[in-house]
Amino acid sequence: MQGKPDAASASRRILRAIAQRRVVAGLLVGTLVVLASAAIVAPFYYSNLSGAPGSVRHAHDLTIHLSVMQQFDKLLRAGIVYPRWLPDANDGYGNAWPNFYQPGFYYLTSLVHLFARDWVATLFVITALGLAASAFAFYRLARLFFGKPASATGAVLYALLPYHLLDFCWRGALPEYLSFVLLPLILYFFYRLGGASRLQDYAGLGLCYGLCLIIHVPISYLFSLLLVFYTLVWAAAARDWRIAGRIAVAMAVGVLLSSIYWLPAAVEIKYAVETVTQLFKYRDAYITLLPGDEGYDPLMRQTFALQSLAFLILAAVWGWLRWCAAASLAAEPQAKGGTKFSHTWAWIILGSLAIFMNLPASDYLARLIPKIEIVAFPWRWLVFVCLFTALLAVAVVERLSDPTSRSAGGVWPYRAAWTMVVVVVAANLWFAGDAVLVGSLDSPAVTPAANFLVDSYCPKGVPAAASLPRTEPLVVQSKTASVKLIRWEPLDRQAVITTNEATTARFKTFNFPGWAARLDGAEVPLASDAVGAQLVALPPGSHTIEVRFAGTSAHRLGAALSICGLLLLAGLALAGHLRRDQAREGAAIDLQPRRDAALTLSGAEPEPTVPRLRAMIRRFAAWGSAGLMMAGMIFFLALLIKEWLPPEKTASPVARPQRTALRIGADVKLAAGGGGVVAATNQQVLSEVIDAMARHDEPRMAALLQSGQAFSVEPDTRARLLSLSSGTARVLILEGNQATKEGWVPEGWLK
């Protein structure tokens, strides 16, 4: 009688069966990645967090996003497909935030909130899924070039690099955090479309690029610059300008798809106050110019140093491996016209450029970039340092995993290369876990303010939001008039007013393009009072008055163009699906994994033999290029160290920052950059101070100082943090002429 198989044999058979079923294996791996991502981000939202219900851990932009996404969701539930106005902001006067800020993130939060039913849980789900999705997207990109183990390694590194995690748990910049998902997908379709004209790839690149524009414009803008440069170099090296044409068409489709957002924003920004670029100057925020020695500033500098060092070391190792393989590279496949193009070199060039753009030395180049001020912070270039560092890591791991690398370079150099790769990757992962993730857990709990006050995107000429008069929603000037309020919806108000004299009805809503008034069914002018509220003139009699947000011609044109873009994408995808089974002739890109990471531009086969003289020439060229690259890396590293380390500082760049800087009761320094720091006696006055600074209104600022509502202290004055609330902080001045005074300042001024 045959005995029963033991448990080990049964387990092996089960695992083998799972491995053979790709769908089941993929689901298991995906589930594990999502669970790991949830475990990584959960402590930020749920561990040791004491505060009121609905409170979140402090991060720079998080409470602002939390306030906006709640109002955005309210409008969606009211049946407004594309919200462009926040009706409850500024004590009911409203704000045009969603008309100018990218709406993609807020659509996503509303979708998740349908199932989560809690706003903190919504943020947790989006953050966890965003981390997992970024790893999956990068893995998909890497598999164009490399095998599964190296691609999986790069995906983990890409997801866990310090700046990626810093984006959500210190900056609260969740839209930028989600751009990490789209950038690898854009590159994925970029490579596929550059190599061959496939309709599905036109649709894929157009869709991903359009979504990136709708989620985060600054990152999209910077990435567009890199892609244009990349495309031109690729097309020139391949001597095939059809590459540039295909990519340009697909990106144009993405621009068309996102017209519903960018077209009205570009046309109507002249009517609104924009304070971000006024308060945060691009050229004052280079990494080495960040003034603080505690908290966020050293964390950003250390993140930059570690990621840059990792990139440079990986580039040097890759150059050494390429040098060792010079003989085999002589037989590398040739592109059309005898020209080959290694995308790994492109990653090194673009990654080095992204590092350089963080330094003050890049200011001369930054001035040549149109509208660079919309980026606000040069450290946004670190997003691309993350992307190209991870790609370079995959290229190096793939080459080191090739047995020929050991024989070509020798055992000890081979081991040294592995050691350097492991050390730099481990240092970044350790820093991301210890200083970034664990360090953020010392941040205090904050609760979004019940009344969301924001001056950005208010109509030009209106007072600061905190100083607006608190009135009833509808006020009629005539004391004898009778008012019956029929409807007060978020974007639609109706009332019946009876008056025996000519009068004026005041609606407590900012007058902004898109709002329109009707009196007894006929359209009438909508005027503004001294604070920007809506006024409608009424003749004697009984009248039905309606004020609603009807939109503008720019809104309608943008929506029409986006619909055209959506239909075009659907048509491309459908046509590509119908042609998917046809023969794929003239392929210009090899999509199989290649250990040399040099994506060729044609399907040409390598020459069976190479003359010895030609091989010697190519080997000499490889030696020379490797030497030049190493010299360039040494020079670049020296420049980096010189820029990053002030002469008086010699501390290790991986030293953990002082994480107590933003704890309630901790001592901080006040620094607003350039001149004295102005503190306000209360939050309402602080809003006026910020508004005066944004408008460069010196008489108004002088009046606030003379009246005693605000006071000035020297930069780097020590203060004690008393409380935090929606991006503002109450502090106790500890030194100087204003010692013992309490005041309010933006939390971004705390160092």
Side-chain angles (χ1 to χ4, degrees):
M1 185 170 118
Q2 188 176 3
K4 294 183 179 180
D6 57 15
S9 299
S11 299
R12 283 194 295 270
R13 282 202 303 273
I14 293 173
L15 291 175
R16 192 179 301 113
I18 291 174
Q20 292 173 351
R21 296 178 180 272
R22 297 181 61 183
V23 174
V24 176
L27 288 175
L28 286 176
V29 171
T31 301
L32 290 175
V33 172
V34 170
L35 291 176
S37 300
I40 290 171
V41 304
F44 177 81
Y45 290 105
Y46 296 115
S47 70
N48 302 320
L49 188 63
S50 58
S55 61
V56 293
R57 205 175 298 278
H58 175 267
H60 286 194
D61 299 339
L62 196 56
T63 53
I64 295 175
H65 288 310
L66 193 55
S67 297
V68 174
M69 64 198 232
Q70 292 177 17
Q71 292 197 40
F72 196 88
D73 181 73
K74 177 181 177 181
L75 293 167
L76 288 177
R77 291 177 184 273
I80 300 164
V81 178
Y82 192 111
R84 295 187 182 274
W85 187 262
L86 300 181
D88 298 332
N90 298 326
D91 195 42
Y93 284 89
N95 185 273
W97 182 286
N99 193 57
F100 300 104
Y101 196 90
Q102 312 84 229
F105 171 70
Y106 302 120
Y107 277 110
L108 183 60
T109 58
S110 293
L111 177 63
V112 174
H113 187 256
L114 287 175
F115 307 96
R117 299 293 182 182
D118 177 81
W119 288 111
V120 176
T122 296
L123 291 173
F124 164 68
V125 170
I126 289 175
T127 308
L129 292 181
L131 189 64
S134 66
F136 289 131
F138 183 88
Y139 178 80
R140 186 65 174 171
L141 167 64
R143 286 290 289 127
L144 282 177
F145 305 95
F146 309 104
K148 293 181 180 179
S151 298
T153 302
V156 172
L157 179 63
Y158 179 69
L160 299 181
L161 278 169
Y163 184 76
H164 189 189
L165 300 181
L166 184 146
D167 244 358
F168 91 86
C169 63
W170 284 83
R171 295 188 60 215
L174 291 180
E176 181 178 306
Y177 173 83
L178 291 179
S179 71
F180 275 81
V181 179
L182 292 169
L183 298 185
L185 296 178
I186 292 173
L187 270 187
Y188 173 81
F189 290 108
F190 171 86
Y191 289 131
R192 288 179 58 91
L193 188 58
S197 181
R198 297 183 180 91
L199 296 180
Q200 306 100 308
D201 298 330
Y202 280 101
L205 180 55
L207 176 62
C208 293
Y209 183 65
L211 288 177
C212 198
L213 284 169
I214 292 175
I215 286 180
H216 202 263
V217 164
I219 293 300
S220 302
Y221 181 54
L222 295 180
F223 200 43
S224 299
L225 298 175
L226 295 180
L227 288 180
V228 169
F229 174 72
Y230 197 164
T231 302
L232 294 177
V233 172
W234 185 4
R239 301 174 186 173
D240 184 0
W241 292 102
R242 291 176 298 176
I243 294 173
R246 291 193 294 265
I247 292 172
V249 169
M251 292 180 68
V253 173
V255 172
L256 189 66
L257 180 67
S258 59
S259 298
I260 193 171
Y261 158 66
W262 65 262
L263 181 61
V267 171
E268 297 174 356
I269 190 62
K270 59 187 176 183
Y271 303 118
V273 175
E274 198 282 297
T275 61
V276 174
T277 57
Q278 296 292 333
L279 295 176
F280 304 103
K281 300 291 187 181
Y282 180 91
R283 64 182 311 174
D284 294 335
Y286 289 109
I287 286 288
T288 58
L289 300 183
L290 297 179
D293 294 326
E294 297 180 343
Y296 181 75
D297 286 352
L299 186 66
M300 183 64 77
R301 289 197 298 267
Q302 292 163 15
T303 295
F304 168 72
L306 270 176
Q307 292 191 186
S308 301
L309 187 63
F311 177 86
L312 295 175
I313 290 176
L314 290 170
V317 171
W318 185 85
W320 174 76
L321 291 171
R322 186 178 176 88
W323 167 62
C324 291
S328 61
L329 287 176
E332 194 171 297
Q334 298 297 302
K336 296 176 182 178
T339 303
K340 63 188 177 186
F341 181 75
S342 171
H343 287 278
T344 313
W345 281 110
W347 301 338
I348 292 175
I349 293 171
L350 294 177
S352 301
L353 178 62
I355 293 173
F356 177 68
M357 295 303 294
N358 282 272
L359 303 174
S362 70
D363 191 56
Y364 295 101
L365 178 59
R367 293 182 184 183
L368 301 177
I369 300 176
K371 298 292 183 181
I372 190 63
E373 60 272 7
I374 69 172
V375 178
F377 309 111
W379 65 64
R380 294 195 198 275
W381 290 96
L382 286 175
V383 173
F384 312 112
V385 177
C386 291
L387 177 62
F388 294 116
T389 297
L391 282 170
L392 201 53
V394 185
V396 170
V397 170
E398 184 84 354
R399 276 183 176 262
L400 287 174
S401 301
D402 187 349
T404 59
S405 297
R406 179 182 298 186
S407 59
V411 175
W412 287 109
Y414 172 83
R415 291 178 179 176
W418 262 118
T419 301
M420 285 190 291
V421 172
V422 171
V423 167
V424 298
V425 170
N428 273 271
L429 296 182
W430 168 80
F431 184 80
D434 180 63
V436 177
L437 280 176
V438 177
S440 69
L441 301 184
D442 286 335
S443 299
V446 293
T447 304
N451 182 19
F452 179 49
L453 299 178
V454 57
D455 291 308
S456 275
Y457 309 130
C458 285
K460 284 186 176 179
V462 306
S467 63
L468 293 168
R470 273 45 176 173
T471 66
E472 294 297 321
L474 176 58
V475 177
V476 178
Q477 187 177 15
S478 174
K479 295 182 179 179
T480 61
S482 64
V483 179
K484 182 180 180 181
L485 190 60
I486 306 297
R487 183 173 64 251
W488 191 276
E489 300 296 334
L491 301 182
D492 187 7
R493 293 84 191 266
Q494 186 178 29
V496 175
I497 301 175
T498 302
T499 176
N500 54 13
E501 60 179 337
T503 187
T504 301
R506 179 188 187 270
F507 287 82
K508 187 184 175 183
T509 302
F510 283 136
N511 189 13
F512 196 77
W515 285 99
R518 287 185 173 275
L519 187 64
D520 299 327
E523 189 170 344
V524 294
L526 194 59
S528 305
D529 69 358
V531 299
Q534 298 169 355
L535 296 178
V536 179
L538 299 174
S542 180
H543 304 283
T544 299
I545 181 172
E546 183 179 9
V547 176
R548 58 190 295 267
F549 193 85
T552 65
S553 57
H555 299 166
R556 291 183 283 274
L557 177 59
L561 292 176
S562 288
I563 292 173
C564 292
L566 190 61
L567 293 175
L568 182 57
L569 280 178
L572 289 170
L574 179 60
H577 176 74
L578 295 176
R579 295 176 54 186
R580 185 174 58 181
D581 296 331
Q582 296 180 3
R584 299 178 179 179
E585 300 180 12
I589 186 169
D590 178 10
L591 297 180
Q592 298 302 317
R594 296 180 53 85
R595 287 194 173 103
D596 58 14
L599 192 63
T600 59
L601 302 177
S602 75
E605 294 295 331
E607 299 176 5
T609 59
V610 180
R612 182 176 300 178
L613 179 60
R614 186 184 302 176
M616 292 177 61
I617 293 174
R618 290 180 176 174
R619 189 179 298 111
F620 179 78
W623 276 67
S625 63
L628 289 174
M629 189 192 73
M630 293 297 294
M633 288 297 174
I634 292 172
F635 173 78
F636 192 83
L637 184 60
L639 174 65
L640 180 65
I641 294 174
K642 179 180 180 296
E643 290 279 6
W644 177 71
L645 278 180
E648 67 274 9
K649 294 184 181 180
T650 58
S652 169
V654 298
R656 183 167 169 170
Q658 298 292 327
R659 297 191 303 238
T660 59
L662 285 183
R663 297 183 65 180
I664 304 301
D667 288 356
V668 296
K669 289 184 179 180
L670 304 180
V677 178
V678 178
T681 54
N682 57 59
Q683 285 180 292
Q684 293 186 1
V685 175
L686 177 60
S687 182
E688 296 187 48
V689 168
I690 295 175
D691 185 67
M693 291 178 63
R695 300 171 190 269
H696 302 285
D697 192 343
E698 295 182 4
R700 186 177 173 190
M701 182 67 76
L704 290 171
L705 293 171
Q706 292 174 2
S707 66
Q709 298 179 80
F711 57 91
S712 178
V713 298
E714 292 296 321
D716 295 327
T717 295
R718 282 195 315 115
R720 182 157 298 146
L721 180 59
L722 302 179
S723 65
L724 288 165
S725 175
S726 298
T728 62
R730 184 167 62 93
V731 297
L732 173 66
I733 308 300
L734 298 179
E735 60 186 13
N737 296 333
Q738 306 293 347
T740 72
K741 269 193 173 183
E742 290 187 10
W744 287 87
V745 296
E747 59 89 11
W749 293 1
L750 304 183
K751 306 297 180 184

PDB file of all heavy atoms in Angstrom, residues 224-241:
ATOM      1  N   SER A 224       8.290  67.150 -18.543  1.00  0.00           N
ATOM      2  CA  SER A 224       8.140  67.478 -19.964  1.00  0.00           C
ATOM      3  C   SER A 224       9.447  68.023 -20.533  1.00  0.00           C
ATOM      4  O   SER A 224       9.843  67.682 -21.658  1.00  0.00           O
ATOM      5  CB  SER A 224       7.020  68.499 -20.155  1.00  0.00           C
ATOM      6  OG  SER A 224       5.781  67.994 -19.704  1.00  0.00           O
ATOM      7  N   LEU A 225      10.125  68.875 -19.769  1.00  0.00           N
ATOM      8  CA  LEU A 225      11.412  69.412 -20.219  1.00  0.00           C
ATOM      9  C   LEU A 225      12.419  68.286 -20.433  1.00  0.00           C
ATOM     10  O   LEU A 225      13.141  68.256 -21.440  1.00  0.00           O
ATOM     11  CB  LEU A 225      11.943  70.415 -19.205  1.00  0.00           C
ATOM     12  CG  LEU A 225      11.093  71.664 -18.947  1.00  0.00           C
ATOM     13  CD1 LEU A 225      11.696  72.494 -17.823  1.00  0.00           C
ATOM     14  CD2 LEU A 225      10.964  72.503 -20.213  1.00  0.00           C
ATOM     15  N   LEU A 226      12.480  67.350 -19.473  1.00  0.00           N
ATOM     16  CA  LEU A 226      13.410  66.234 -19.605  1.00  0.00           C
ATOM     17  C   LEU A 226      13.049  65.348 -20.795  1.00  0.00           C
ATOM     18  O   LEU A 226      13.928  64.881 -21.526  1.00  0.00           O
ATOM     19  CB  LEU A 226      13.410  65.405 -18.315  1.00  0.00           C
ATOM     20  CG  LEU A 226      13.937  66.097 -17.057  1.00  0.00           C
ATOM     21  CD1 LEU A 226      13.866  65.157 -15.863  1.00  0.00           C
ATOM     22  CD2 LEU A 226      15.369  66.581 -17.250  1.00  0.00           C
ATOM     23  N   LEU A 227      11.753  65.108 -20.990  1.00  0.00           N
ATOM     24  CA  LEU A 227      11.328  64.243 -22.090  1.00  0.00           C
ATOM     25  C   LEU A 227      11.627  64.875 -23.452  1.00  0.00           C
ATOM     26  O   LEU A 227      11.996  64.166 -24.396  1.00  0.00           O
ATOM     27  CB  LEU A 227       9.839  63.929 -21.974  1.00  0.00           C
ATOM     28  CG  LEU A 227       9.422  62.983 -20.849  1.00  0.00           C
ATOM     29  CD1 LEU A 227       7.918  62.765 -20.873  1.00  0.00           C
ATOM     30  CD2 LEU A 227      10.149  61.650 -20.939  1.00  0.00           C
ATOM     31  N   VAL A 228      11.446  66.177 -23.556  1.00  0.00           N
ATOM     32  CA  VAL A 228      11.757  66.851 -24.829  1.00  0.00           C
ATOM     33  C   VAL A 228      13.243  66.706 -25.150  1.00  0.00           C
ATOM     34  O   VAL A 228      13.635  66.357 -26.276  1.00  0.00           O
ATOM     35  CB  VAL A 228      11.343  68.329 -24.762  1.00  0.00           C
ATOM     36  CG1 VAL A 228      11.903  69.102 -25.951  1.00  0.00           C
ATOM     37  CG2 VAL A 228       9.827  68.461 -24.722  1.00  0.00           C
ATOM     38  N   PHE A 229      14.079  66.961 -24.153  1.00  0.00           N
ATOM     39  CA  PHE A 229      15.526  66.807 -24.352  1.00  0.00           C
ATOM     40  C   PHE A 229      15.879  65.360 -24.707  1.00  0.00           C
ATOM     41  O   PHE A 229      16.649  65.092 -25.645  1.00  0.00           O
ATOM     42  CB  PHE A 229      16.253  67.250 -23.079  1.00  0.00           C
ATOM     43  CG  PHE A 229      17.731  67.016 -23.103  1.00  0.00           C
ATOM     44  CD1 PHE A 229      18.563  67.788 -23.899  1.00  0.00           C
ATOM     45  CD2 PHE A 229      18.296  66.011 -22.328  1.00  0.00           C
ATOM     46  CE1 PHE A 229      19.931  67.562 -23.923  1.00  0.00           C
ATOM     47  CE2 PHE A 229      19.652  65.775 -22.346  1.00  0.00           C
ATOM     48  CZ  PHE A 229      20.481  66.548 -23.143  1.00  0.00           C
ATOM     49  N   TYR A 230      15.316  64.425 -23.958  1.00  0.00           N
ATOM     50  CA  TYR A 230      15.559  63.001 -24.179  1.00  0.00           C
ATOM     51  C   TYR A 230      15.145  62.600 -25.597  1.00  0.00           C
ATOM     52  O   TYR A 230      15.879  61.906 -26.319  1.00  0.00           O
ATOM     53  CB  TYR A 230      14.756  62.222 -23.140  1.00  0.00           C
ATOM     54  CG  TYR A 230      15.161  60.784 -22.916  1.00  0.00           C
ATOM     55  CD1 TYR A 230      14.731  60.109 -21.779  1.00  0.00           C
ATOM     56  CD2 TYR A 230      15.946  60.074 -23.822  1.00  0.00           C
ATOM     57  CE1 TYR A 230      15.073  58.796 -21.536  1.00  0.00           C
ATOM     58  CE2 TYR A 230      16.304  58.758 -23.592  1.00  0.00           C
ATOM     59  CZ  TYR A 230      15.861  58.125 -22.450  1.00  0.00           C
ATOM     60  OH  TYR A 230      16.203  56.817 -22.225  1.00  0.00           O
ATOM     61  N   THR A 231      13.971  63.036 -26.009  1.00  0.00           N
ATOM     62  CA  THR A 231      13.452  62.666 -27.329  1.00  0.00           C
ATOM     63  C   THR A 231      14.351  63.178 -28.448  1.00  0.00           C
ATOM     64  O   THR A 231      14.647  62.457 -29.412  1.00  0.00           O
ATOM     65  CB  THR A 231      12.029  63.224 -27.502  1.00  0.00           C
ATOM     66  OG1 THR A 231      11.189  62.718 -26.459  1.00  0.00           O
ATOM     67  CG2 THR A 231      11.455  62.832 -28.846  1.00  0.00           C
ATOM     68  N   LEU A 232      14.782  64.420 -28.336  1.00  0.00           N
ATOM     69  CA  LEU A 232      15.628  64.994 -29.384  1.00  0.00           C
ATOM     70  C   LEU A 232      16.965  64.264 -29.479  1.00  0.00           C
ATOM     71  O   LEU A 232      17.460  63.989 -30.590  1.00  0.00           O
ATOM     72  CB  LEU A 232      15.849  66.485 -29.106  1.00  0.00           C
ATOM     73  CG  LEU A 232      14.600  67.372 -29.202  1.00  0.00           C
ATOM     74  CD1 LEU A 232      14.930  68.810 -28.828  1.00  0.00           C
ATOM     75  CD2 LEU A 232      13.992  67.306 -30.599  1.00  0.00           C
ATOM     76  N   VAL A 233      17.561  63.934 -28.317  1.00  0.00           N
ATOM     77  CA  VAL A 233      18.831  63.210 -28.339  1.00  0.00           C
ATOM     78  C   VAL A 233      18.641  61.820 -28.932  1.00  0.00           C
ATOM     79  O   VAL A 233      19.449  61.356 -29.758  1.00  0.00           O
ATOM     80  CB  VAL A 233      19.412  63.130 -26.916  1.00  0.00           C
ATOM     81  CG1 VAL A 233      20.640  62.221 -26.888  1.00  0.00           C
ATOM     82  CG2 VAL A 233      19.786  64.519 -26.412  1.00  0.00           C
ATOM     83  N   TRP A 234      17.572  61.146 -28.525  1.00  0.00           N
ATOM     84  CA  TRP A 234      17.297  59.802 -29.036  1.00  0.00           C
ATOM     85  C   TRP A 234      17.086  59.828 -30.555  1.00  0.00           C
ATOM     86  O   TRP A 234      17.669  59.036 -31.299  1.00  0.00           O
ATOM     87  CB  TRP A 234      16.074  59.247 -28.314  1.00  0.00           C
ATOM     88  CG  TRP A 234      15.739  57.819 -28.648  1.00  0.00           C
ATOM     89  CD1 TRP A 234      16.439  56.969 -29.444  1.00  0.00           C
ATOM     90  CD2 TRP A 234      14.609  57.090 -28.168  1.00  0.00           C
ATOM     91  NE1 TRP A 234      15.821  55.749 -29.505  1.00  0.00           N
ATOM     92  CE2 TRP A 234      14.698  55.790 -28.735  1.00  0.00           C
ATOM     93  CE3 TRP A 234      13.540  57.400 -27.343  1.00  0.00           C
ATOM     94  CZ2 TRP A 234      13.739  54.810 -28.473  1.00  0.00           C
ATOM     95  CZ3 TRP A 234      12.587  56.420 -27.083  1.00  0.00           C
ATOM     96  CH2 TRP A 234      12.693  55.149 -27.637  1.00  0.00           C
ATOM     97  N   ALA A 235      16.246  60.753 -31.018  1.00  0.00           N
ATOM     98  CA  ALA A 235      15.964  60.828 -32.452  1.00  0.00           C
ATOM     99  C   ALA A 235      17.224  61.173 -33.249  1.00  0.00           C
ATOM    100  O   ALA A 235      17.458  60.627 -34.339  1.00  0.00           O
ATOM    101  CB  ALA A 235      14.866  61.857 -32.707  1.00  0.00           C
ATOM    102  N   ALA A 236      18.042  62.081 -32.699  1.00  0.00           N
ATOM    103  CA  ALA A 236      19.267  62.454 -33.403  1.00  0.00           C
ATOM    104  C   ALA A 236      20.242  61.282 -33.455  1.00  0.00           C
ATOM    105  O   ALA A 236      20.872  61.028 -34.493  1.00  0.00           O
ATOM    106  CB  ALA A 236      19.911  63.657 -32.721  1.00  0.00           C
ATOM    107  N   ALA A 237      20.382  60.551 -32.334  1.00  0.00           N
ATOM    108  CA  ALA A 237      21.299  59.411 -32.314  1.00  0.00           C
ATOM    109  C   ALA A 237      20.829  58.307 -33.244  1.00  0.00           C
ATOM    110  O   ALA A 237      21.637  57.626 -33.881  1.00  0.00           O
ATOM    111  CB  ALA A 237      21.427  58.879 -30.884  1.00  0.00           C
ATOM    112  N   ALA A 238      19.512  58.131 -33.353  1.00  0.00           N
ATOM    113  CA  ALA A 238      18.960  57.090 -34.222  1.00  0.00           C
ATOM    114  C   ALA A 238      18.843  57.536 -35.670  1.00  0.00           C
ATOM    115  O   ALA A 238      18.568  56.712 -36.548  1.00  0.00           O
ATOM    116  CB  ALA A 238      17.585  56.675 -33.713  1.00  0.00           C
ATOM    117  N   ARG A 239      19.040  58.847 -35.898  1.00  0.00           N
ATOM    118  CA  ARG A 239      18.848  59.411 -37.234  1.00  0.00           C
ATOM    119  C   ARG A 239      17.450  59.072 -37.763  1.00  0.00           C
ATOM    120  O   ARG A 239      17.270  58.738 -38.932  1.00  0.00           O
ATOM    121  CB  ARG A 239      19.923  58.902 -38.193  1.00  0.00           C
ATOM    122  CG  ARG A 239      21.344  59.238 -37.751  1.00  0.00           C
ATOM    123  CD  ARG A 239      22.364  58.599 -38.650  1.00  0.00           C
ATOM    124  NE  ARG A 239      23.716  58.814 -38.134  1.00  0.00           N
ATOM    125  CZ  ARG A 239      24.805  58.251 -38.656  1.00  0.00           C
ATOM    126  NH1 ARG A 239      24.699  57.457 -39.717  1.00  0.00           N
ATOM    127  NH2 ARG A 239      25.991  58.477 -38.134  1.00  0.00           N
ATOM    128  N   ASP A 240      16.503  59.166 -36.851  1.00  0.00           N
ATOM    129  CA  ASP A 240      15.118  58.836 -37.200  1.00  0.00           C
ATOM    130  C   ASP A 240      14.205  59.819 -36.466  1.00  0.00           C
ATOM    131  O   ASP A 240      13.862  59.614 -35.298  1.00  0.00           O
ATOM    132  CB  ASP A 240      14.801  57.401 -36.790  1.00  0.00           C
ATOM    133  CG  ASP A 240      13.397  56.977 -37.213  1.00  0.00           C
ATOM    134  OD1 ASP A 240      12.684  57.804 -37.831  1.00  0.00           O
ATOM    135  OD2 ASP A 240      13.016  55.826 -36.918  1.00  0.00           O
ATOM    136  N   TRP A 241      13.803  60.886 -37.139  1.00  0.00           N
ATOM    137  CA  TRP A 241      12.995  61.912 -36.490  1.00  0.00           C
ATOM    138  C   TRP A 241      11.533  61.510 -36.348  1.00  0.00           C
ATOM    139  O   TRP A 241      10.739  62.228 -35.748  1.00  0.00           O
ATOM    140  CB  TRP A 241      13.120  63.233 -37.243  1.00  0.00           C
ATOM    141  CG  TRP A 241      14.490  63.798 -37.097  1.00  0.00           C
ATOM    142  CD1 TRP A 241      15.499  63.770 -38.012  1.00  0.00           C
ATOM    143  CD2 TRP A 241      15.027  64.423 -35.924  1.00  0.00           C
ATOM    144  NE1 TRP A 241      16.630  64.344 -37.493  1.00  0.00           N
ATOM    145  CE2 TRP A 241      16.374  64.761 -36.217  1.00  0.00           C
ATOM    146  CE3 TRP A 241      14.514  64.727 -34.671  1.00  0.00           C
ATOM    147  CZ2 TRP A 241      17.197  65.384 -35.297  1.00  0.00           C
ATOM    148  CZ3 TRP A 241      15.337  65.364 -33.745  1.00  0.00           C
ATOM    149  CH2 TRP A 241      16.658  65.677 -34.063  1.00  0.00           C
TER     150      TRP A 241
END
